[in-house]
Amino acid sequence: FKGVVNLIDSLGGVEVDVPKDFCEQDSNRRFGEHEICLKKGMQTLNGEQALALARHRHTLLRGDIDRTKNQQIVVEAIAKKMIKKISLI
């Protein structure tokens, strides 16, 4: 999990369209004051937030199936950001 967080943070975050409001534990599996809560809509996510989106499944209608879609959203956002950074070099 830390590798994903570090990668996304090193890219300066990723742009994603969060499909719904939710809260999820952080990369250290902590809830409470460490919980990551996101609102629906287009936004730039840091590593912790993107990982929370990729991991979340409990409030999703189709559970793991929808989580897989969220993981694809995060991977695509990473790829787009990396391509953008490479094209600036």
Side-chain angles (χ1 to χ4, degrees):
F1 292 152
K2 293 295 185 181
V4 172
V5 171
N6 291 336
L7 171 63
I8 293 170
D9 285 345
S10 73
L11 292 171
V14 292
E15 291 284 325
V16 300
D17 191 4
V18 177
K20 68 176 285 181
D21 295 358
F22 72 92
C23 293
E24 182 61 62
Q25 61 190 353
D26 71 2
S27 62
N28 292 313
R29 300 177 185 229
R30 299 177 297 182
F31 283 105
E33 67 185 44
H34 302 285
E35 192 170 54
I36 308 296
C37 294
L38 297 175
K39 298 287 185 187
K40 179 180 178 176
M42 188 60 102
Q43 55 202 288
T44 301
L45 301 183
N46 66 29
E48 285 285 343
Q49 294 167 324
L51 179 64
L53 175 60
R55 293 181 64 202
H56 183 72
R57 72 168 186 258
H58 299 295
T59 67
L60 302 177
L61 185 61
R62 297 181 302 166
D64 284 337
I65 293 170
D66 288 337
R67 176 171 61 175
T68 300
K69 287 184 178 185
N70 288 345
Q71 290 169 346
Q72 290 172 341
I73 290 169
V74 172
V75 170
E76 287 175 11
I78 292 169
K80 286 179 184 177
K81 187 70 174 259
M82 292 178 80
I83 290 168
K84 184 177 179 181
K85 287 209 175 259
I86 288 170
S87 67
L88 295 174
I89 295 175

